[in-house]
Amino acid sequence: MNDSLKAYVEQYVELETGLQELVLMQCASLCAQCTSVCCDAVICREAIESPFLKQVHQQADLFDEQEGFLTPTGCRLKKGRPSVCYEYFCDNQFFYQSDDRHAGILQILGSLLFHATRNAQGETPLLEIMQEEELDRLDFQRLEEQMKESLQALETIRSFYRNGTLPEHSRIALKRIHIHTEFDTPAESSAHHYPG
């Protein structure tokens, strides 16, 4: 692993840890009451097929063909989960947000890993690069810039959840975050493009 990749992995872990903390704070109580679990072992497969995610979690030996990384009490992986694990929110999560601004913030929060890892090689996202040797030839300048934007947005969202305000410079930081088209539905995109 070259120095650029090593530094990027460290920042990725920092971003994922902060993201996970905020998502749990916003979603855990509703998820705990849910009777249909949205996690699926098929999704877990990305965490062992992606050379980058394997570098992050280093726990491929815990993968089970039937259950993936899932246990009765949640996911075994504390880091290195596929970005979809954070991008997807059920309709209830958006419905029970206190207003459109909170719904939009939640969607942006879930998109931070996707944003940080997109366009790693041309238009190919980092998690879709399947040859380990390619990891040393990534567009680190672009990835580092996107990571910086995601970390700034994470701090903005953390501040928003603490004090409920969103100053103009904070809105600009959030507008930089790209949402995967799969999760940017018309109903949700109006929340994302609020930020006012």
Side-chain angles (χ1 to χ4, degrees):
M1 184 186 307
N2 67 37
D3 288 345
S4 295
L5 180 58
K6 185 176 180 182
Y8 185 81
V9 167
E10 289 172 2
Q11 287 187 309
Y12 185 93
V13 171
E14 176 187 348
L15 176 62
E16 184 176 10
T17 301
L19 166 62
Q20 199 173 99
E21 174 190 326
L22 294 182
V23 167
L24 282 172
M25 186 175 75
Q26 294 302 306
C27 302
S29 61
L30 192 57
C31 287
Q33 301 170 45
C34 186
T35 56
S36 64
V37 178
C38 59
C39 296
D40 191 302
V42 172
I43 297 168
C44 298
R45 187 161 290 285
E46 185 178 343
I48 61 160
E49 290 177 350
S50 164
F52 176 74
L53 289 179
K54 283 170 64 175
Q55 294 267 2
V56 174
H57 63 69
Q58 299 182 14
Q59 293 187 308
D61 57 317
L62 296 179
F63 181 79
D64 178 85
E65 285 298 328
Q66 299 299 316
E67 303 297 327
F69 290 104
L70 305 177
T71 73
T73 57
C75 183
R76 286 186 184 98
L77 293 182
K78 301 303 177 207
K79 58 184 180 177
R81 295 177 183 175
S83 62
V84 69
C85 297
Y86 302 102
E87 290 173 283
Y88 173 78
F89 296 100
C90 71
D91 291 341
N92 282 341
Q93 289 293 353
F94 288 113
F95 180 79
Y96 285 106
Q97 293 297 307
S98 57
D99 54 35
D100 285 347
R101 176 177 283 184
H102 281 80
I105 294 284
L106 183 64
Q107 186 179 38
I108 295 168
L109 176 64
S111 300
L112 296 182
L113 287 178
F114 167 75
H115 181 80
T117 58
R118 65 191 198 92
N119 302 329
Q121 263 185 352
E123 294 184 6
T124 305
L126 181 51
L127 305 189
E128 291 179 18
I129 293 172
M130 294 296 141
Q131 303 300 322
E132 188 170 352
E133 59 273 14
E134 292 296 310
L135 295 181
D136 286 330
R137 296 192 284 272
L138 301 175
D139 185 345
F140 285 106
Q141 185 175 356
R142 179 182 288 182
L143 285 172
E144 287 163 9
E145 182 59 34
Q146 291 169 180
M147 177 62 74
K148 180 180 173 187
E149 291 170 350
S150 286
L151 287 168
Q152 286 174 341
L154 178 68
E155 281 309 308
T156 294
I157 294 169
R158 190 176 276 141
S159 175
F160 172 76
Y161 285 145
R162 256 194 324 264
N163 60 38
T165 61
L166 199 60
E168 182 59 35
H169 70 277
S170 298
R171 294 179 198 162
I172 292 168
L174 297 182
K175 283 183 179 181
R176 291 189 187 110
I177 303 303
H178 286 76
I179 295 174
H180 193 291
T181 53
E182 183 179 349
F183 299 101
D184 197 14
T185 62
E188 293 161 358
S189 63
S190 63
H192 171 244
H193 299 295
Y194 68 90

PDB file of all heavy atoms in Angstrom, residues 19 23 46 82-90 94 106-115 117 127 178-184 188:
ATOM      1  N   LEU A  19     -19.683   9.361  10.290  1.00  0.00           N
ATOM      2  CA  LEU A  19     -20.950   9.151   9.592  1.00  0.00           C
ATOM      3  C   LEU A  19     -21.813   8.131  10.322  1.00  0.00           C
ATOM      4  O   LEU A  19     -23.004   8.353  10.564  1.00  0.00           O
ATOM      5  CB  LEU A  19     -20.638   8.688   8.162  1.00  0.00           C
ATOM      6  CG  LEU A  19     -21.729   8.084   7.299  1.00  0.00           C
ATOM      7  CD1 LEU A  19     -22.833   9.088   7.056  1.00  0.00           C
ATOM      8  CD2 LEU A  19     -21.147   7.625   5.978  1.00  0.00           C
ATOM      9  N   VAL A  23     -25.549   8.714  11.791  1.00  0.00           N
ATOM     10  CA  VAL A  23     -26.670   7.926  11.254  1.00  0.00           C
ATOM     11  C   VAL A  23     -27.353   7.159  12.383  1.00  0.00           C
ATOM     12  O   VAL A  23     -28.583   7.120  12.469  1.00  0.00           O
ATOM     13  CB  VAL A  23     -26.208   6.982  10.122  1.00  0.00           C
ATOM     14  CG1 VAL A  23     -27.288   5.954   9.783  1.00  0.00           C
ATOM     15  CG2 VAL A  23     -25.841   7.773   8.868  1.00  0.00           C
ATOM     16  N   GLU A  46     -20.180  -7.051  -1.344  1.00  0.00           N
ATOM     17  CA  GLU A  46     -19.336  -5.966  -1.857  1.00  0.00           C
ATOM     18  C   GLU A  46     -18.145  -5.711  -0.935  1.00  0.00           C
ATOM     19  O   GLU A  46     -17.067  -5.343  -1.397  1.00  0.00           O
ATOM     20  CB  GLU A  46     -20.152  -4.688  -2.029  1.00  0.00           C
ATOM     21  CG  GLU A  46     -19.365  -3.563  -2.672  1.00  0.00           C
ATOM     22  CD  GLU A  46     -20.179  -2.302  -2.898  1.00  0.00           C
ATOM     23  OE1 GLU A  46     -21.420  -2.359  -2.867  1.00  0.00           O
ATOM     24  OE2 GLU A  46     -19.548  -1.250  -3.108  1.00  0.00           O
ATOM     25  N   PRO A  82     -20.031  -1.428   2.737  1.00  0.00           N
ATOM     26  CA  PRO A  82     -20.365  -0.809   1.449  1.00  0.00           C
ATOM     27  C   PRO A  82     -21.101   0.508   1.666  1.00  0.00           C
ATOM     28  O   PRO A  82     -21.863   0.660   2.623  1.00  0.00           O
ATOM     29  CB  PRO A  82     -21.281  -1.848   0.787  1.00  0.00           C
ATOM     30  CG  PRO A  82     -20.877  -3.149   1.422  1.00  0.00           C
ATOM     31  CD  PRO A  82     -20.522  -2.800   2.845  1.00  0.00           C
ATOM     32  N   SER A  83     -20.905   1.466   0.767  1.00  0.00           N
ATOM     33  CA  SER A  83     -21.507   2.788   0.955  1.00  0.00           C
ATOM     34  C   SER A  83     -23.030   2.728   0.949  1.00  0.00           C
ATOM     35  O   SER A  83     -23.682   3.551   1.584  1.00  0.00           O
ATOM     36  CB  SER A  83     -21.001   3.783  -0.094  1.00  0.00           C
ATOM     37  OG  SER A  83     -21.350   3.366  -1.400  1.00  0.00           O
ATOM     38  N   VAL A  84     -23.613   1.729   0.268  1.00  0.00           N
ATOM     39  CA  VAL A  84     -25.078   1.607   0.248  1.00  0.00           C
ATOM     40  C   VAL A  84     -25.639   1.410   1.659  1.00  0.00           C
ATOM     41  O   VAL A  84     -26.776   1.788   1.930  1.00  0.00           O
ATOM     42  CB  VAL A  84     -25.525   0.465  -0.702  1.00  0.00           C
ATOM     43  CG1 VAL A  84     -25.129  -0.903  -0.147  1.00  0.00           C
ATOM     44  CG2 VAL A  84     -27.021   0.528  -0.962  1.00  0.00           C
ATOM     45  N   CYS A  85     -24.842   0.867   2.554  1.00  0.00           N
ATOM     46  CA  CYS A  85     -25.281   0.679   3.940  1.00  0.00           C
ATOM     47  C   CYS A  85     -25.602   2.014   4.610  1.00  0.00           C
ATOM     48  O   CYS A  85     -26.335   2.054   5.602  1.00  0.00           O
ATOM     49  CB  CYS A  85     -24.218  -0.065   4.745  1.00  0.00           C
ATOM     50  SG  CYS A  85     -23.894  -1.732   4.135  1.00  0.00           S
ATOM     51  N   TYR A  86     -25.037   3.090   4.089  1.00  0.00           N
ATOM     52  CA  TYR A  86     -25.299   4.419   4.631  1.00  0.00           C
ATOM     53  C   TYR A  86     -26.208   5.240   3.712  1.00  0.00           C
ATOM     54  O   TYR A  86     -26.915   6.127   4.173  1.00  0.00           O
ATOM     55  CB  TYR A  86     -23.978   5.168   4.845  1.00  0.00           C
ATOM     56  CG  TYR A  86     -23.045   4.425   5.760  1.00  0.00           C
ATOM     57  CD1 TYR A  86     -21.969   3.699   5.250  1.00  0.00           C
ATOM     58  CD2 TYR A  86     -23.250   4.414   7.136  1.00  0.00           C
ATOM     59  CE1 TYR A  86     -21.118   3.002   6.092  1.00  0.00           C
ATOM     60  CE2 TYR A  86     -22.409   3.716   7.981  1.00  0.00           C
ATOM     61  CZ  TYR A  86     -21.341   3.013   7.449  1.00  0.00           C
ATOM     62  OH  TYR A  86     -20.506   2.317   8.282  1.00  0.00           O
ATOM     63  N   GLU A  87     -26.183   4.947   2.414  1.00  0.00           N
ATOM     64  CA  GLU A  87     -26.966   5.730   1.452  1.00  0.00           C
ATOM     65  C   GLU A  87     -28.457   5.419   1.518  1.00  0.00           C
ATOM     66  O   GLU A  87     -29.284   6.294   1.293  1.00  0.00           O
ATOM     67  CB  GLU A  87     -26.487   5.450   0.028  1.00  0.00           C
ATOM     68  CG  GLU A  87     -25.123   6.015  -0.271  1.00  0.00           C
ATOM     69  CD  GLU A  87     -24.624   5.575  -1.627  1.00  0.00           C
ATOM     70  OE1 GLU A  87     -24.184   4.405  -1.753  1.00  0.00           O
ATOM     71  OE2 GLU A  87     -24.680   6.384  -2.563  1.00  0.00           O
ATOM     72  N   TYR A  88     -28.789   4.176   1.798  1.00  0.00           N
ATOM     73  CA  TYR A  88     -30.194   3.778   1.768  1.00  0.00           C
ATOM     74  C   TYR A  88     -30.887   4.136   3.085  1.00  0.00           C
ATOM     75  O   TYR A  88     -30.411   3.791   4.173  1.00  0.00           O
ATOM     76  CB  TYR A  88     -30.343   2.269   1.531  1.00  0.00           C
ATOM     77  CG  TYR A  88     -31.769   1.818   1.667  1.00  0.00           C
ATOM     78  CD1 TYR A  88     -32.686   2.033   0.644  1.00  0.00           C
ATOM     79  CD2 TYR A  88     -32.222   1.237   2.850  1.00  0.00           C
ATOM     80  CE1 TYR A  88     -34.019   1.662   0.782  1.00  0.00           C
ATOM     81  CE2 TYR A  88     -33.551   0.863   2.999  1.00  0.00           C
ATOM     82  CZ  TYR A  88     -34.439   1.078   1.967  1.00  0.00           C
ATOM     83  OH  TYR A  88     -35.758   0.725   2.109  1.00  0.00           O
ATOM     84  N   PHE A  89     -32.011   4.817   2.971  1.00  0.00           N
ATOM     85  CA  PHE A  89     -32.902   5.055   4.109  1.00  0.00           C
ATOM     86  C   PHE A  89     -34.305   4.686   3.652  1.00  0.00           C
ATOM     87  O   PHE A  89     -34.722   5.045   2.547  1.00  0.00           O
ATOM     88  CB  PHE A  89     -32.894   6.533   4.537  1.00  0.00           C
ATOM     89  CG  PHE A  89     -31.565   7.008   5.045  1.00  0.00           C
ATOM     90  CD1 PHE A  89     -30.719   7.735   4.224  1.00  0.00           C
ATOM     91  CD2 PHE A  89     -31.156   6.736   6.337  1.00  0.00           C
ATOM     92  CE1 PHE A  89     -29.493   8.185   4.676  1.00  0.00           C
ATOM     93  CE2 PHE A  89     -29.929   7.175   6.803  1.00  0.00           C
ATOM     94  CZ  PHE A  89     -29.095   7.902   5.969  1.00  0.00           C
ATOM     95  N   CYS A  90     -35.039   3.986   4.489  1.00  0.00           N
ATOM     96  CA  CYS A  90     -36.408   3.646   4.128  1.00  0.00           C
ATOM     97  C   CYS A  90     -37.274   4.905   4.154  1.00  0.00           C
ATOM     98  O   CYS A  90     -36.884   5.934   4.725  1.00  0.00           O
ATOM     99  CB  CYS A  90     -36.968   2.579   5.066  1.00  0.00           C
ATOM    100  SG  CYS A  90     -37.305   3.176   6.730  1.00  0.00           S
ATOM    101  N   PHE A  94     -37.298   9.093   6.311  1.00  0.00           N
ATOM    102  CA  PHE A  94     -37.531  10.450   5.808  1.00  0.00           C
ATOM    103  C   PHE A  94     -38.837  11.015   6.367  1.00  0.00           C
ATOM    104  O   PHE A  94     -38.914  12.179   6.736  1.00  0.00           O
ATOM    105  CB  PHE A  94     -37.558  10.462   4.275  1.00  0.00           C
ATOM    106  CG  PHE A  94     -36.202  10.251   3.663  1.00  0.00           C
ATOM    107  CD1 PHE A  94     -35.921   9.106   2.952  1.00  0.00           C
ATOM    108  CD2 PHE A  94     -35.205  11.210   3.810  1.00  0.00           C
ATOM    109  CE1 PHE A  94     -34.670   8.909   2.387  1.00  0.00           C
ATOM    110  CE2 PHE A  94     -33.945  11.022   3.255  1.00  0.00           C
ATOM    111  CZ  PHE A  94     -33.678   9.869   2.541  1.00  0.00           C
ATOM    112  N   LEU A 106     -30.235  14.433   6.158  1.00  0.00           N
ATOM    113  CA  LEU A 106     -30.042  12.991   6.325  1.00  0.00           C
ATOM    114  C   LEU A 106     -29.583  12.367   5.010  1.00  0.00           C
ATOM    115  O   LEU A 106     -28.674  11.531   4.994  1.00  0.00           O
ATOM    116  CB  LEU A 106     -31.340  12.335   6.811  1.00  0.00           C
ATOM    117  CG  LEU A 106     -31.260  10.839   7.097  1.00  0.00           C
ATOM    118  CD1 LEU A 106     -30.293  10.553   8.249  1.00  0.00           C
ATOM    119  CD2 LEU A 106     -32.654  10.287   7.424  1.00  0.00           C
ATOM    120  N   GLN A 107     -30.188  12.761   3.911  1.00  0.00           N
ATOM    121  CA  GLN A 107     -29.795  12.209   2.618  1.00  0.00           C
ATOM    122  C   GLN A 107     -28.357  12.587   2.265  1.00  0.00           C
ATOM    123  O   GLN A 107     -27.595  11.754   1.780  1.00  0.00           O
ATOM    124  CB  GLN A 107     -30.748  12.682   1.524  1.00  0.00           C
ATOM    125  CG  GLN A 107     -30.448  12.004   0.196  1.00  0.00           C
ATOM    126  CD  GLN A 107     -31.381  12.434  -0.896  1.00  0.00           C
ATOM    127  OE1 GLN A 107     -31.763  13.603  -0.963  1.00  0.00           O
ATOM    128  NE2 GLN A 107     -31.759  11.509  -1.748  1.00  0.00           N
ATOM    129  N   ILE A 108     -27.985  13.819   2.533  1.00  0.00           N
ATOM    130  CA  ILE A 108     -26.600  14.244   2.269  1.00  0.00           C
ATOM    131  C   ILE A 108     -25.641  13.470   3.164  1.00  0.00           C
ATOM    132  O   ILE A 108     -24.594  12.998   2.714  1.00  0.00           O
ATOM    133  CB  ILE A 108     -26.447  15.765   2.474  1.00  0.00           C
ATOM    134  CG1 ILE A 108     -27.281  16.520   1.431  1.00  0.00           C
ATOM    135  CG2 ILE A 108     -24.980  16.182   2.388  1.00  0.00           C
ATOM    136  CD1 ILE A 108     -27.432  18.002   1.707  1.00  0.00           C
ATOM    137  N   LEU A 109     -25.998  13.302   4.432  1.00  0.00           N
ATOM    138  CA  LEU A 109     -25.169  12.536   5.364  1.00  0.00           C
ATOM    139  C   LEU A 109     -24.890  11.140   4.815  1.00  0.00           C
ATOM    140  O   LEU A 109     -23.750  10.682   4.798  1.00  0.00           O
ATOM    141  CB  LEU A 109     -25.873  12.446   6.729  1.00  0.00           C
ATOM    142  CG  LEU A 109     -25.190  11.604   7.800  1.00  0.00           C
ATOM    143  CD1 LEU A 109     -23.839  12.190   8.179  1.00  0.00           C
ATOM    144  CD2 LEU A 109     -26.101  11.493   9.030  1.00  0.00           C
ATOM    145  N   GLY A 110     -25.939  10.476   4.344  1.00  0.00           N
ATOM    146  CA  GLY A 110     -25.773   9.126   3.808  1.00  0.00           C
ATOM    147  C   GLY A 110     -24.928   9.057   2.555  1.00  0.00           C
ATOM    148  O   GLY A 110     -24.418   7.994   2.191  1.00  0.00           O
ATOM    149  N   SER A 111     -24.737  10.190   1.887  1.00  0.00           N
ATOM    150  CA  SER A 111     -24.000  10.234   0.618  1.00  0.00           C
ATOM    151  C   SER A 111     -22.520  10.575   0.773  1.00  0.00           C
ATOM    152  O   SER A 111     -21.795  10.620  -0.222  1.00  0.00           O
ATOM    153  CB  SER A 111     -24.655  11.263  -0.303  1.00  0.00           C
ATOM    154  OG  SER A 111     -25.987  10.918  -0.572  1.00  0.00           O
ATOM    155  N   LEU A 112     -22.060  10.819   1.982  1.00  0.00           N
ATOM    156  CA  LEU A 112     -20.690  11.301   2.170  1.00  0.00           C
ATOM    157  C   LEU A 112     -19.628  10.303   1.704  1.00  0.00           C
ATOM    158  O   LEU A 112     -18.620  10.705   1.112  1.00  0.00           O
ATOM    159  CB  LEU A 112     -20.453  11.694   3.628  1.00  0.00           C
ATOM    160  CG  LEU A 112     -21.304  12.864   4.139  1.00  0.00           C
ATOM    161  CD1 LEU A 112     -20.935  13.186   5.585  1.00  0.00           C
ATOM    162  CD2 LEU A 112     -21.160  14.097   3.263  1.00  0.00           C
ATOM    163  N   LEU A 113     -19.830   9.010   1.962  1.00  0.00           N
ATOM    164  CA  LEU A 113     -18.839   8.024   1.500  1.00  0.00           C
ATOM    165  C   LEU A 113     -18.855   7.902  -0.013  1.00  0.00           C
ATOM    166  O   LEU A 113     -17.805   7.790  -0.649  1.00  0.00           O
ATOM    167  CB  LEU A 113     -19.088   6.653   2.137  1.00  0.00           C
ATOM    168  CG  LEU A 113     -18.717   6.519   3.608  1.00  0.00           C
ATOM    169  CD1 LEU A 113     -19.063   5.126   4.120  1.00  0.00           C
ATOM    170  CD2 LEU A 113     -17.246   6.810   3.843  1.00  0.00           C
ATOM    171  N   PHE A 114     -20.055   7.900  -0.599  1.00  0.00           N
ATOM    172  CA  PHE A 114     -20.146   7.846  -2.055  1.00  0.00           C
ATOM    173  C   PHE A 114     -19.397   9.025  -2.670  1.00  0.00           C
ATOM    174  O   PHE A 114     -18.616   8.873  -3.614  1.00  0.00           O
ATOM    175  CB  PHE A 114     -21.609   7.852  -2.518  1.00  0.00           C
ATOM    176  CG  PHE A 114     -21.761   8.098  -3.995  1.00  0.00           C
ATOM    177  CD1 PHE A 114     -21.471   7.099  -4.907  1.00  0.00           C
ATOM    178  CD2 PHE A 114     -22.157   9.343  -4.472  1.00  0.00           C
ATOM    179  CE1 PHE A 114     -21.583   7.323  -6.283  1.00  0.00           C
ATOM    180  CE2 PHE A 114     -22.270   9.583  -5.832  1.00  0.00           C
ATOM    181  CZ  PHE A 114     -21.985   8.565  -6.738  1.00  0.00           C
ATOM    182  N   HIS A 115     -19.625  10.218  -2.130  1.00  0.00           N
ATOM    183  CA  HIS A 115     -18.973  11.409  -2.667  1.00  0.00           C
ATOM    184  C   HIS A 115     -17.451  11.297  -2.555  1.00  0.00           C
ATOM    185  O   HIS A 115     -16.726  11.614  -3.499  1.00  0.00           O
ATOM    186  CB  HIS A 115     -19.460  12.662  -1.937  1.00  0.00           C
ATOM    187  CG  HIS A 115     -18.829  13.914  -2.461  1.00  0.00           C
ATOM    188  ND1 HIS A 115     -19.260  14.538  -3.608  1.00  0.00           N
ATOM    189  CD2 HIS A 115     -17.771  14.643  -2.007  1.00  0.00           C
ATOM    190  CE1 HIS A 115     -18.503  15.609  -3.840  1.00  0.00           C
ATOM    191  NE2 HIS A 115     -17.602  15.694  -2.878  1.00  0.00           N
ATOM    192  N   THR A 117     -15.589   8.757  -2.598  1.00  0.00           N
ATOM    193  CA  THR A 117     -14.972   7.666  -3.365  1.00  0.00           C
ATOM    194  C   THR A 117     -15.306   7.677  -4.854  1.00  0.00           C
ATOM    195  O   THR A 117     -14.843   6.820  -5.597  1.00  0.00           O
ATOM    196  CB  THR A 117     -15.394   6.300  -2.779  1.00  0.00           C
ATOM    197  OG1 THR A 117     -16.829   6.198  -2.813  1.00  0.00           O
ATOM    198  CG2 THR A 117     -14.891   6.126  -1.364  1.00  0.00           C
ATOM    199  N   LEU A 127     -15.096   1.899  -5.016  1.00  0.00           N
ATOM    200  CA  LEU A 127     -15.574   0.594  -4.573  1.00  0.00           C
ATOM    201  C   LEU A 127     -15.863  -0.351  -5.728  1.00  0.00           C
ATOM    202  O   LEU A 127     -16.098  -1.536  -5.523  1.00  0.00           O
ATOM    203  CB  LEU A 127     -16.831   0.753  -3.705  1.00  0.00           C
ATOM    204  CG  LEU A 127     -16.677   1.680  -2.495  1.00  0.00           C
ATOM    205  CD1 LEU A 127     -17.903   1.597  -1.599  1.00  0.00           C
ATOM    206  CD2 LEU A 127     -15.416   1.394  -1.705  1.00  0.00           C
ATOM    207  N   HIS A 178     -22.229  15.100  -3.861  1.00  0.00           N
ATOM    208  CA  HIS A 178     -22.993  14.415  -4.904  1.00  0.00           C
ATOM    209  C   HIS A 178     -23.729  13.217  -4.300  1.00  0.00           C
ATOM    210  O   HIS A 178     -23.147  12.460  -3.525  1.00  0.00           O
ATOM    211  CB  HIS A 178     -22.067  13.917  -6.015  1.00  0.00           C
ATOM    212  CG  HIS A 178     -21.571  15.015  -6.891  1.00  0.00           C
ATOM    213  ND1 HIS A 178     -20.578  15.886  -6.507  1.00  0.00           N
ATOM    214  CD2 HIS A 178     -21.954  15.397  -8.137  1.00  0.00           C
ATOM    215  CE1 HIS A 178     -20.358  16.749  -7.473  1.00  0.00           C
ATOM    216  NE2 HIS A 178     -21.172  16.478  -8.475  1.00  0.00           N
ATOM    217  N   ILE A 179     -24.971  13.072  -4.701  1.00  0.00           N
ATOM    218  CA  ILE A 179     -25.782  11.936  -4.275  1.00  0.00           C
ATOM    219  C   ILE A 179     -25.881  10.966  -5.443  1.00  0.00           C
ATOM    220  O   ILE A 179     -26.141  11.373  -6.577  1.00  0.00           O
ATOM    221  CB  ILE A 179     -27.181  12.404  -3.820  1.00  0.00           C
ATOM    222  CG1 ILE A 179     -27.039  13.275  -2.567  1.00  0.00           C
ATOM    223  CG2 ILE A 179     -28.101  11.219  -3.557  1.00  0.00           C
ATOM    224  CD1 ILE A 179     -28.321  13.915  -2.108  1.00  0.00           C
ATOM    225  N   HIS A 180     -25.657   9.705  -5.176  1.00  0.00           N
ATOM    226  CA  HIS A 180     -25.759   8.673  -6.209  1.00  0.00           C
ATOM    227  C   HIS A 180     -27.151   8.742  -6.829  1.00  0.00           C
ATOM    228  O   HIS A 180     -28.151   8.850  -6.117  1.00  0.00           O
ATOM    229  CB  HIS A 180     -25.523   7.299  -5.570  1.00  0.00           C
ATOM    230  CG  HIS A 180     -25.289   6.211  -6.548  1.00  0.00           C
ATOM    231  ND1 HIS A 180     -26.281   5.744  -7.375  1.00  0.00           N
ATOM    232  CD2 HIS A 180     -24.172   5.493  -6.841  1.00  0.00           C
ATOM    233  CE1 HIS A 180     -25.794   4.783  -8.141  1.00  0.00           C
ATOM    234  NE2 HIS A 180     -24.513   4.613  -7.837  1.00  0.00           N
ATOM    235  N   THR A 181     -27.226   8.683  -8.155  1.00  0.00           N
ATOM    236  CA  THR A 181     -28.515   8.820  -8.846  1.00  0.00           C
ATOM    237  C   THR A 181     -29.544   7.799  -8.374  1.00  0.00           C
ATOM    238  O   THR A 181     -30.735   8.078  -8.357  1.00  0.00           O
ATOM    239  CB  THR A 181     -28.336   8.693 -10.371  1.00  0.00           C
ATOM    240  OG1 THR A 181     -27.637   7.473 -10.652  1.00  0.00           O
ATOM    241  CG2 THR A 181     -27.555   9.863 -10.923  1.00  0.00           C
ATOM    242  N   GLU A 182     -29.078   6.627  -7.941  1.00  0.00           N
ATOM    243  CA  GLU A 182     -29.992   5.586  -7.450  1.00  0.00           C
ATOM    244  C   GLU A 182     -30.772   6.047  -6.218  1.00  0.00           C
ATOM    245  O   GLU A 182     -31.882   5.595  -5.970  1.00  0.00           O
ATOM    246  CB  GLU A 182     -29.194   4.322  -7.123  1.00  0.00           C
ATOM    247  CG  GLU A 182     -30.029   3.156  -6.687  1.00  0.00           C
ATOM    248  CD  GLU A 182     -29.197   1.921  -6.389  1.00  0.00           C
ATOM    249  OE1 GLU A 182     -27.984   1.890  -6.711  1.00  0.00           O
ATOM    250  OE2 GLU A 182     -29.758   0.971  -5.814  1.00  0.00           O
ATOM    251  N   PHE A 183     -30.184   6.958  -5.449  1.00  0.00           N
ATOM    252  CA  PHE A 183     -30.812   7.398  -4.200  1.00  0.00           C
ATOM    253  C   PHE A 183     -31.331   8.832  -4.274  1.00  0.00           C
ATOM    254  O   PHE A 183     -31.843   9.351  -3.293  1.00  0.00           O
ATOM    255  CB  PHE A 183     -29.826   7.257  -3.038  1.00  0.00           C
ATOM    256  CG  PHE A 183     -29.388   5.841  -2.842  1.00  0.00           C
ATOM    257  CD1 PHE A 183     -28.156   5.410  -3.318  1.00  0.00           C
ATOM    258  CD2 PHE A 183     -30.225   4.923  -2.233  1.00  0.00           C
ATOM    259  CE1 PHE A 183     -27.761   4.091  -3.160  1.00  0.00           C
ATOM    260  CE2 PHE A 183     -29.838   3.605  -2.081  1.00  0.00           C
ATOM    261  CZ  PHE A 183     -28.610   3.188  -2.544  1.00  0.00           C
ATOM    262  N   ASP A 184     -31.203   9.465  -5.429  1.00  0.00           N
ATOM    263  CA  ASP A 184     -31.646  10.848  -5.593  1.00  0.00           C
ATOM    264  C   ASP A 184     -32.978  10.864  -6.335  1.00  0.00           C
ATOM    265  O   ASP A 184     -33.063  11.304  -7.470  1.00  0.00           O
ATOM    266  CB  ASP A 184     -30.584  11.649  -6.360  1.00  0.00           C
ATOM    267  CG  ASP A 184     -30.787  13.144  -6.211  1.00  0.00           C
ATOM    268  OD1 ASP A 184     -31.560  13.559  -5.335  1.00  0.00           O
ATOM    269  OD2 ASP A 184     -30.169  13.892  -6.980  1.00  0.00           O
ATOM    270  N   GLU A 188     -36.917  12.977  -2.878  1.00  0.00           N
ATOM    271  CA  GLU A 188     -35.783  13.238  -1.995  1.00  0.00           C
ATOM    272  C   GLU A 188     -34.909  14.359  -2.522  1.00  0.00           C
ATOM    273  O   GLU A 188     -34.324  15.113  -1.773  1.00  0.00           O
ATOM    274  CB  GLU A 188     -34.962  11.967  -1.820  1.00  0.00           C
ATOM    275  CG  GLU A 188     -35.720  10.894  -1.070  1.00  0.00           C
ATOM    276  CD  GLU A 188     -35.137   9.512  -1.269  1.00  0.00           C
ATOM    277  OE1 GLU A 188     -34.163   9.369  -2.023  1.00  0.00           O
ATOM    278  OE2 GLU A 188     -35.670   8.570  -0.676  1.00  0.00           O
TER     279      GLU A 188
END
